[in-house]
Structure formats: C-alpha cells, structure tokens
Amino acid sequence: MSTVTFHATPGYGETMIQSLGYSQAVRVDNRVETSGQGGWDDDFNIPDSLEEEIVQAFDNVERTLATCGATWKDVIHVNSYHKVPQGEDVIGQDHNRVMAEQFRRRLDGRAPVWTQTGVTVLGLAAMRIEVRVTAVINDER
C-alpha cells in the first residue's frame, strides 16, 4: 500500500489551502508532484522583472519540494507555463535564457525532461511564468 501525504509550503501554501482548498505538493512513497509555482512572494506580489519572477518561481519550487523532503536534484520532469502576448507564436528567448540558467544553477549537471507551454493567462494577472515539477527522492542520500 502506498503512503500519500499532502504538503503546504509555509506562507503562501497555507493561504492557498485556506482560500482555494488545494495543496502545493503531494508525496506518494518516494515520488513528489508539485502544483504550479509562480514567482510570487508570501503576499502574492510578482516582481516587475521577468528574470526575478522566474528565479522566484524556482525558489518557490525549492521551498515546496523541501516540505516533502526533496530538492531540485531529485527533479525528473519540469512543466513550465509561459504567458505569451496575444498574437505571438513563440515563447521568448528572455524566458528560455533564465530557465536554462536556473536549470544549470540548481540541477548540478542533471537534465530532467522539460515540457514548455505558452499560455495567454495564468492564475494571477501579473504572472508571466508558472513551474511545476515531478521528483523522485533517492533514498540512498
């Protein structure tokens, strides 16, 4: 039988459980699935800079993984959702550059699979990025 536990990121995750009734992550045995993490702070403010927003989203993924005992080094799959202006047909290089920098910084040479999707809206009007991951915790650490 599998062990399933749900987790709230301290701060904004606790707010989301109370206001919208969902968890930021679920751990099933050694597998972790996160909900989409935006580049918000605990009060849901979004930085003006796209780069700062993406870095904050990666920080929020890290915070959320930690609630389950995981790290970026356990991540095997990344889904990212990028707000694309109406009429644009590609996710901009400004998004890709920062995403790739964050992968290099946090994954220590590992290369998880990555699915990148362009969207017209996200959960908050100011959001331009949302990142969700799947991780498998290596019990041998």
Side-chain angles (χ1 to χ4, degrees):
M1 174 152 335
S2 294
T3 301
V4 178
T5 55
F6 292 90
H7 301 265
T9 308
Y12 67 83
E14 296 160 335
T15 300
M16 295 307 253
I17 283 181
Q18 293 171 3
S19 65
L20 297 176
Y22 79 94
S23 298
Q24 296 302 306
V26 60
R27 180 172 174 168
V28 181
D29 298 327
N30 68 335
R31 185 181 183 97
V32 175
E33 299 283 347
T34 71
S35 64
Q37 302 298 300
W40 51 63
D41 64 15
D42 283 339
D43 295 317
F44 298 98
N45 298 306
I46 306 292
D48 291 333
S49 157
L50 173 65
E51 182 167 351
E52 289 175 22
E53 182 180 351
I54 293 172
V55 170
Q56 184 64 51
F58 273 72
D59 288 346
N60 288 342
V61 167
E62 187 169 302
R63 288 175 62 190
T64 299
L65 288 168
T67 68
C68 300
T71 72
W72 268 103
K73 291 182 174 88
D74 298 308
V75 171
I76 62 168
H77 186 184
V78 177
N79 289 97
S80 60
Y81 305 92
H82 304 262
K83 192 171 188 178
V84 177
Q86 192 110 7
E88 293 290 319
D89 60 357
V90 68
I91 295 167
Q93 285 304 310
D94 49 346
H95 286 253
N96 291 332
R97 177 187 57 78
V98 181
M99 293 290 293
E101 287 171 359
Q102 291 303 303
F103 286 154
R104 287 185 196 98
R105 179 174 161 244
R106 296 170 192 260
L107 291 165
D108 197 30
R110 291 182 53 251
V113 296
W114 177 24
T115 302
Q116 189 180 41
T117 304
V119 299
T120 56
V121 296
L122 290 163
L124 299 173
M127 287 175 66
R128 293 161 289 193
I129 181 78
E130 191 166 342
V131 179
R132 72 156 307 283
V133 302
T134 300
V136 176
I137 298 170
N138 181 352
D139 292 329
E140 297 175 10
R141 306 190 251 168

Short mmCIF file of all heavy atoms in Angstrom, two decimals, residues 5-54:
data_model
loop_
_atom_site.label_atom_id
_atom_site.label_comp_id
_atom_site.label_asym_id
_atom_site.label_seq_id
_atom_site.Cartn_x
_atom_site.Cartn_y
_atom_site.Cartn_z
N THR A 5 0.99 11.69 1.31
CA THR A 5 0.92 12.84 2.20
C THR A 5 0.85 14.11 1.37
O THR A 5 1.54 14.23 0.35
CB THR A 5 2.14 12.91 3.15
OG1 THR A 5 3.35 12.90 2.38
CG2 THR A 5 2.14 11.74 4.13
N PHE A 6 0.02 15.05 1.80
CA PHE A 6 -0.12 16.34 1.13
C PHE A 6 0.63 17.39 1.93
O PHE A 6 0.70 17.32 3.16
CB PHE A 6 -1.60 16.72 1.00
CG PHE A 6 -2.35 15.83 0.05
CD1 PHE A 6 -2.97 14.68 0.51
CD2 PHE A 6 -2.38 16.12 -1.30
CE1 PHE A 6 -3.64 13.83 -0.36
CE2 PHE A 6 -3.06 15.28 -2.19
CZ PHE A 6 -3.69 14.13 -1.71
N HIS A 7 1.18 18.40 1.23
CA HIS A 7 2.06 19.37 1.87
C HIS A 7 1.72 20.79 1.42
O HIS A 7 1.40 21.02 0.25
CB HIS A 7 3.51 19.06 1.52
CG HIS A 7 3.92 17.69 1.96
ND1 HIS A 7 4.54 17.46 3.16
CD2 HIS A 7 3.77 16.48 1.37
CE1 HIS A 7 4.76 16.17 3.29
NE2 HIS A 7 4.30 15.54 2.21
N ALA A 8 1.84 21.70 2.38
CA ALA A 8 1.64 23.13 2.10
C ALA A 8 2.97 23.85 2.31
O ALA A 8 3.62 23.66 3.34
CB ALA A 8 0.60 23.72 3.04
N THR A 9 3.36 24.65 1.35
CA THR A 9 4.54 25.48 1.51
C THR A 9 4.25 26.50 2.60
O THR A 9 3.20 27.16 2.55
CB THR A 9 4.86 26.21 0.19
OG1 THR A 9 4.90 25.25 -0.87
CG2 THR A 9 6.16 26.96 0.27
N PRO A 10 5.12 26.63 3.62
CA PRO A 10 4.89 27.64 4.65
C PRO A 10 4.69 29.01 4.01
O PRO A 10 5.38 29.37 3.06
CB PRO A 10 6.16 27.59 5.50
CG PRO A 10 6.68 26.20 5.30
CD PRO A 10 6.35 25.86 3.86
N GLY A 11 3.73 29.76 4.52
CA GLY A 11 3.42 31.08 3.97
C GLY A 11 2.31 30.97 2.94
O GLY A 11 1.17 30.65 3.27
N TYR A 12 2.65 31.18 1.67
CA TYR A 12 1.62 31.22 0.63
C TYR A 12 0.87 29.90 0.49
O TYR A 12 -0.32 29.89 0.15
CB TYR A 12 2.20 31.67 -0.71
CG TYR A 12 3.16 30.71 -1.36
CD1 TYR A 12 2.70 29.63 -2.12
CD2 TYR A 12 4.53 30.87 -1.23
CE1 TYR A 12 3.58 28.73 -2.71
CE2 TYR A 12 5.42 29.99 -1.82
CZ TYR A 12 4.94 28.92 -2.55
OH TYR A 12 5.80 28.03 -3.14
N GLY A 13 1.51 28.78 0.73
CA GLY A 13 0.84 27.48 0.60
C GLY A 13 -0.27 27.31 1.62
O GLY A 13 -1.33 26.74 1.32
N GLU A 14 -0.03 27.81 2.82
CA GLU A 14 -1.06 27.75 3.86
C GLU A 14 -2.25 28.63 3.47
O GLU A 14 -3.40 28.25 3.67
CB GLU A 14 -0.46 28.19 5.21
CG GLU A 14 0.63 27.25 5.68
CD GLU A 14 1.57 27.86 6.70
OE1 GLU A 14 1.72 29.10 6.74
OE2 GLU A 14 2.18 27.09 7.43
N THR A 15 -1.96 29.78 2.85
CA THR A 15 -3.03 30.66 2.37
C THR A 15 -3.85 29.96 1.29
O THR A 15 -5.08 30.04 1.28
CB THR A 15 -2.43 31.97 1.80
OG1 THR A 15 -1.69 32.63 2.84
CG2 THR A 15 -3.51 32.88 1.26
N MET A 16 -3.18 29.24 0.38
CA MET A 16 -3.90 28.57 -0.71
C MET A 16 -4.80 27.44 -0.20
O MET A 16 -5.89 27.25 -0.74
CB MET A 16 -2.90 28.03 -1.74
CG MET A 16 -2.13 29.13 -2.44
SD MET A 16 -3.21 30.38 -3.15
CE MET A 16 -3.02 29.99 -4.85
N ILE A 17 -4.36 26.72 0.81
CA ILE A 17 -5.23 25.69 1.38
C ILE A 17 -6.48 26.34 1.96
O ILE A 17 -7.60 25.88 1.73
CB ILE A 17 -4.50 24.86 2.46
CG1 ILE A 17 -3.57 23.86 1.79
CG2 ILE A 17 -5.49 24.12 3.35
CD1 ILE A 17 -2.82 22.97 2.75
N GLN A 18 -6.30 27.41 2.72
CA GLN A 18 -7.44 28.07 3.35
C GLN A 18 -8.37 28.73 2.34
O GLN A 18 -9.59 28.64 2.46
CB GLN A 18 -6.94 29.12 4.36
CG GLN A 18 -6.26 28.51 5.55
CD GLN A 18 -5.58 29.55 6.43
OE1 GLN A 18 -5.67 30.75 6.18
NE2 GLN A 18 -4.91 29.08 7.46
N SER A 19 -7.82 29.38 1.33
CA SER A 19 -8.67 30.14 0.40
C SER A 19 -9.20 29.31 -0.77
O SER A 19 -10.33 29.52 -1.19
CB SER A 19 -7.93 31.38 -0.11
OG SER A 19 -6.81 31.01 -0.88
N LEU A 20 -8.38 28.40 -1.30
CA LEU A 20 -8.79 27.66 -2.50
C LEU A 20 -8.87 26.15 -2.30
O LEU A 20 -9.29 25.42 -3.20
CB LEU A 20 -7.85 27.98 -3.67
CG LEU A 20 -7.86 29.44 -4.12
CD1 LEU A 20 -6.82 29.67 -5.21
CD2 LEU A 20 -9.24 29.86 -4.61
N GLY A 21 -8.40 25.65 -1.15
CA GLY A 21 -8.56 24.25 -0.82
C GLY A 21 -7.66 23.28 -1.55
O GLY A 21 -8.03 22.13 -1.78
N TYR A 22 -6.45 23.71 -1.93
CA TYR A 22 -5.53 22.76 -2.57
C TYR A 22 -4.15 22.85 -1.95
O TYR A 22 -3.77 23.86 -1.36
CB TYR A 22 -5.48 22.97 -4.08
CG TYR A 22 -4.63 24.12 -4.57
CD1 TYR A 22 -3.30 23.92 -4.93
CD2 TYR A 22 -5.17 25.40 -4.70
CE1 TYR A 22 -2.53 24.98 -5.38
CE2 TYR A 22 -4.41 26.45 -5.16
CZ TYR A 22 -3.09 26.24 -5.50
OH TYR A 22 -2.32 27.27 -5.96
N SER A 23 -3.39 21.76 -2.08
CA SER A 23 -2.04 21.65 -1.55
C SER A 23 -1.02 22.03 -2.61
O SER A 23 -1.28 21.91 -3.81
CB SER A 23 -1.77 20.21 -1.09
OG SER A 23 -2.65 19.85 -0.05
N GLN A 24 0.16 22.40 -2.16
CA GLN A 24 1.24 22.74 -3.08
C GLN A 24 1.99 21.51 -3.57
O GLN A 24 2.65 21.55 -4.60
CB GLN A 24 2.22 23.72 -2.43
CG GLN A 24 1.61 25.06 -2.09
CD GLN A 24 1.04 25.76 -3.30
OE1 GLN A 24 1.72 25.96 -4.29
NE2 GLN A 24 -0.22 26.13 -3.24
N ALA A 25 1.90 20.40 -2.81
CA ALA A 25 2.61 19.19 -3.22
C ALA A 25 1.95 17.96 -2.62
O ALA A 25 1.27 18.04 -1.59
CB ALA A 25 4.07 19.26 -2.79
N VAL A 26 2.19 16.84 -3.28
CA VAL A 26 1.77 15.54 -2.75
C VAL A 26 2.97 14.60 -2.90
O VAL A 26 3.67 14.63 -3.91
CB VAL A 26 0.53 14.98 -3.47
CG1 VAL A 26 0.76 14.78 -4.96
CG2 VAL A 26 0.05 13.69 -2.81
N ARG A 27 3.20 13.82 -1.84
CA ARG A 27 4.24 12.80 -1.89
C ARG A 27 3.56 11.45 -1.83
O ARG A 27 2.76 11.18 -0.93
CB ARG A 27 5.22 12.96 -0.73
CG ARG A 27 6.32 11.91 -0.76
CD ARG A 27 7.40 12.16 0.25
NE ARG A 27 8.33 11.03 0.25
CZ ARG A 27 9.50 11.02 0.85
NH1 ARG A 27 9.91 12.09 1.52
NH2 ARG A 27 10.26 9.95 0.81
N VAL A 28 3.87 10.60 -2.82
CA VAL A 28 3.39 9.23 -2.86
C VAL A 28 4.63 8.35 -2.81
O VAL A 28 5.39 8.29 -3.78
CB VAL A 28 2.57 8.94 -4.13
CG1 VAL A 28 2.05 7.51 -4.12
CG2 VAL A 28 1.42 9.93 -4.28
N ASP A 29 4.85 7.73 -1.66
CA ASP A 29 6.08 6.97 -1.42
C ASP A 29 7.28 7.88 -1.67
O ASP A 29 7.42 8.87 -0.97
CB ASP A 29 6.11 5.68 -2.24
CG ASP A 29 4.96 4.74 -1.85
OD1 ASP A 29 4.56 4.74 -0.66
OD2 ASP A 29 4.44 4.05 -2.74
N ASN A 30 8.12 7.61 -2.67
CA ASN A 30 9.28 8.47 -2.91
C ASN A 30 9.09 9.42 -4.10
O ASN A 30 10.02 10.08 -4.52
CB ASN A 30 10.55 7.63 -3.11
CG ASN A 30 10.54 6.84 -4.40
OD1 ASN A 30 9.47 6.52 -4.94
ND2 ASN A 30 11.71 6.51 -4.90
N ARG A 31 7.87 9.52 -4.61
CA ARG A 31 7.55 10.40 -5.74
C ARG A 31 6.84 11.65 -5.24
O ARG A 31 5.93 11.56 -4.42
CB ARG A 31 6.67 9.67 -6.74
CG ARG A 31 6.38 10.44 -8.00
CD ARG A 31 5.47 9.63 -8.93
NE ARG A 31 5.24 10.32 -10.16
CZ ARG A 31 5.91 10.11 -11.28
NH1 ARG A 31 6.88 9.22 -11.32
NH2 ARG A 31 5.62 10.78 -12.36
N VAL A 32 7.25 12.81 -5.75
CA VAL A 32 6.66 14.09 -5.36
C VAL A 32 6.13 14.78 -6.61
O VAL A 32 6.83 14.87 -7.62
CB VAL A 32 7.70 14.99 -4.66
CG1 VAL A 32 7.12 16.37 -4.37
CG2 VAL A 32 8.22 14.33 -3.39
N GLU A 33 4.91 15.27 -6.52
CA GLU A 33 4.31 16.10 -7.57
C GLU A 33 3.97 17.45 -6.95
O GLU A 33 3.37 17.50 -5.87
CB GLU A 33 3.01 15.46 -8.10
CG GLU A 33 3.17 14.09 -8.71
CD GLU A 33 3.75 14.12 -10.11
OE1 GLU A 33 3.81 15.21 -10.73
OE2 GLU A 33 4.14 13.04 -10.58
N THR A 34 4.37 18.53 -7.60
CA THR A 34 4.02 19.85 -7.09
C THR A 34 2.91 20.45 -7.95
O THR A 34 2.75 20.10 -9.12
CB THR A 34 5.21 20.83 -7.10
OG1 THR A 34 5.54 21.19 -8.44
CG2 THR A 34 6.41 20.25 -6.38
N SER A 35 2.19 21.37 -7.36
CA SER A 35 1.30 22.21 -8.15
C SER A 35 2.17 23.29 -8.80
O SER A 35 3.35 23.42 -8.49
CB SER A 35 0.21 22.83 -7.27
OG SER A 35 0.80 23.69 -6.32
N GLY A 36 1.59 24.05 -9.70
CA GLY A 36 2.36 25.11 -10.35
C GLY A 36 2.78 26.16 -9.35
O GLY A 36 1.97 26.62 -8.54
N GLN A 37 4.04 26.53 -9.41
CA GLN A 37 4.60 27.54 -8.51
C GLN A 37 4.90 28.80 -9.31
O GLN A 37 5.65 28.75 -10.28
CB GLN A 37 5.88 27.01 -7.85
CG GLN A 37 5.68 25.73 -7.06
CD GLN A 37 4.71 25.91 -5.92
OE1 GLN A 37 4.92 26.72 -5.02
NE2 GLN A 37 3.62 25.14 -5.94
N GLY A 38 4.29 29.88 -8.91
CA GLY A 38 4.54 31.15 -9.56
C GLY A 38 5.70 31.88 -8.92
O GLY A 38 6.24 31.46 -7.89
N GLY A 39 6.05 33.00 -9.50
CA GLY A 39 7.14 33.82 -8.98
C GLY A 39 6.66 34.84 -7.98
O GLY A 39 7.06 36.00 -8.03
N TRP A 40 5.81 34.44 -7.06
CA TRP A 40 5.23 35.33 -6.06
C TRP A 40 5.98 35.24 -4.74
O TRP A 40 6.68 34.28 -4.46
CB TRP A 40 3.76 34.97 -5.83
CG TRP A 40 3.54 33.49 -5.54
CD1 TRP A 40 4.01 32.78 -4.48
CD2 TRP A 40 2.81 32.58 -6.34
NE1 TRP A 40 3.62 31.47 -4.57
CE2 TRP A 40 2.88 31.31 -5.70
CE3 TRP A 40 2.10 32.69 -7.53
CZ2 TRP A 40 2.26 30.18 -6.21
CZ3 TRP A 40 1.48 31.55 -8.03
CH2 TRP A 40 1.57 30.32 -7.38
N ASP A 41 5.78 36.26 -3.91
CA ASP A 41 6.25 36.19 -2.53
C ASP A 41 5.08 35.70 -1.67
O ASP A 41 4.02 35.32 -2.20
CB ASP A 41 6.81 37.54 -2.06
CG ASP A 41 5.79 38.67 -2.00
OD1 ASP A 41 4.56 38.41 -2.04
OD2 ASP A 41 6.22 39.83 -1.90
N ASP A 42 5.25 35.68 -0.37
CA ASP A 42 4.20 35.15 0.51
C ASP A 42 2.92 35.97 0.49
O ASP A 42 1.87 35.49 0.93
CB ASP A 42 4.71 35.00 1.94
CG ASP A 42 5.60 33.77 2.11
OD1 ASP A 42 5.52 32.85 1.28
OD2 ASP A 42 6.38 33.75 3.08
N ASP A 43 2.99 37.20 -0.02
CA ASP A 43 1.80 38.04 -0.15
C ASP A 43 1.28 38.08 -1.59
O ASP A 43 0.45 38.91 -1.92
CB ASP A 43 2.11 39.46 0.34
CG ASP A 43 2.42 39.49 1.82
OD1 ASP A 43 1.72 38.82 2.60
OD2 ASP A 43 3.40 40.18 2.20
N PHE A 44 1.81 37.20 -2.43
CA PHE A 44 1.41 37.06 -3.84
C PHE A 44 1.75 38.29 -4.68
O PHE A 44 1.08 38.58 -5.67
CB PHE A 44 -0.07 36.67 -3.96
CG PHE A 44 -0.32 35.34 -3.33
CD1 PHE A 44 -0.84 35.26 -2.04
CD2 PHE A 44 -0.01 34.17 -4.00
CE1 PHE A 44 -1.05 34.03 -1.44
CE2 PHE A 44 -0.21 32.93 -3.40
CZ PHE A 44 -0.73 32.87 -2.11
N ASN A 45 2.81 39.00 -4.31
CA ASN A 45 3.34 40.07 -5.14
C ASN A 45 4.27 39.46 -6.19
O ASN A 45 5.04 38.55 -5.88
CB ASN A 45 4.12 41.08 -4.29
CG ASN A 45 3.22 41.74 -3.27
OD1 ASN A 45 2.19 42.29 -3.62
ND2 ASN A 45 3.62 41.68 -2.00
N ILE A 46 4.19 39.96 -7.40
CA ILE A 46 5.01 39.48 -8.52
C ILE A 46 6.05 40.56 -8.84
O ILE A 46 5.70 41.73 -9.01
CB ILE A 46 4.13 39.23 -9.78
CG1 ILE A 46 2.97 38.29 -9.47
CG2 ILE A 46 4.99 38.73 -10.94
CD1 ILE A 46 3.33 36.88 -9.17
N PRO A 47 7.34 40.18 -8.96
CA PRO A 47 8.36 41.18 -9.32
C PRO A 47 8.08 41.82 -10.68
O PRO A 47 7.48 41.19 -11.56
CB PRO A 47 9.66 40.38 -9.37
CG PRO A 47 9.39 39.11 -8.64
CD PRO A 47 7.91 38.85 -8.78
N ASP A 48 8.54 43.04 -10.87
CA ASP A 48 8.40 43.71 -12.17
C ASP A 48 9.28 43.04 -13.22
O ASP A 48 8.90 42.94 -14.38
CB ASP A 48 8.78 45.19 -12.05
CG ASP A 48 7.77 45.98 -11.24
OD1 ASP A 48 6.59 45.58 -11.18
OD2 ASP A 48 8.18 47.00 -10.63
N SER A 49 10.44 42.57 -12.82
CA SER A 49 11.40 41.97 -13.74
C SER A 49 11.04 40.51 -14.03
O SER A 49 10.79 39.72 -13.10
CB SER A 49 12.80 42.02 -13.10
OG SER A 49 13.65 41.04 -13.62
N LEU A 50 11.00 40.14 -15.31
CA LEU A 50 10.73 38.76 -15.68
C LEU A 50 11.78 37.83 -15.09
O LEU A 50 11.46 36.76 -14.57
CB LEU A 50 10.69 38.60 -17.21
CG LEU A 50 10.57 37.16 -17.70
CD1 LEU A 50 9.24 36.54 -17.29
CD2 LEU A 50 10.75 37.11 -19.22
N GLU A 51 13.05 38.23 -15.15
CA GLU A 51 14.11 37.39 -14.60
C GLU A 51 13.89 37.13 -13.11
O GLU A 51 13.98 35.99 -12.65
CB GLU A 51 15.48 38.03 -14.84
CG GLU A 51 16.61 37.16 -14.33
CD GLU A 51 17.98 37.62 -14.83
OE1 GLU A 51 18.05 38.50 -15.69
OE2 GLU A 51 18.97 37.05 -14.34
N GLU A 52 13.60 38.17 -12.35
CA GLU A 52 13.34 38.00 -10.91
C GLU A 52 12.12 37.10 -10.67
O GLU A 52 12.11 36.30 -9.73
CB GLU A 52 13.13 39.35 -10.24
CG GLU A 52 14.38 40.19 -10.13
CD GLU A 52 14.11 41.58 -9.57
OE1 GLU A 52 13.08 41.78 -8.89
OE2 GLU A 52 14.93 42.47 -9.84
N GLU A 53 11.12 37.22 -11.50
CA GLU A 53 9.92 36.38 -11.36
C GLU A 53 10.25 34.91 -11.59
O GLU A 53 9.81 34.04 -10.83
CB GLU A 53 8.83 36.83 -12.33
CG GLU A 53 7.55 36.03 -12.20
CD GLU A 53 6.47 36.46 -13.16
OE1 GLU A 53 6.62 37.50 -13.85
OE2 GLU A 53 5.44 35.74 -13.23
N ILE A 54 11.04 34.61 -12.62
CA ILE A 54 11.40 33.23 -12.89
C ILE A 54 12.27 32.67 -11.76
O ILE A 54 12.05 31.55 -11.29
CB ILE A 54 12.10 33.10 -14.26
CG1 ILE A 54 11.09 33.41 -15.39
CG2 ILE A 54 12.69 31.69 -14.45
CD1 ILE A 54 11.72 33.51 -16.78
#
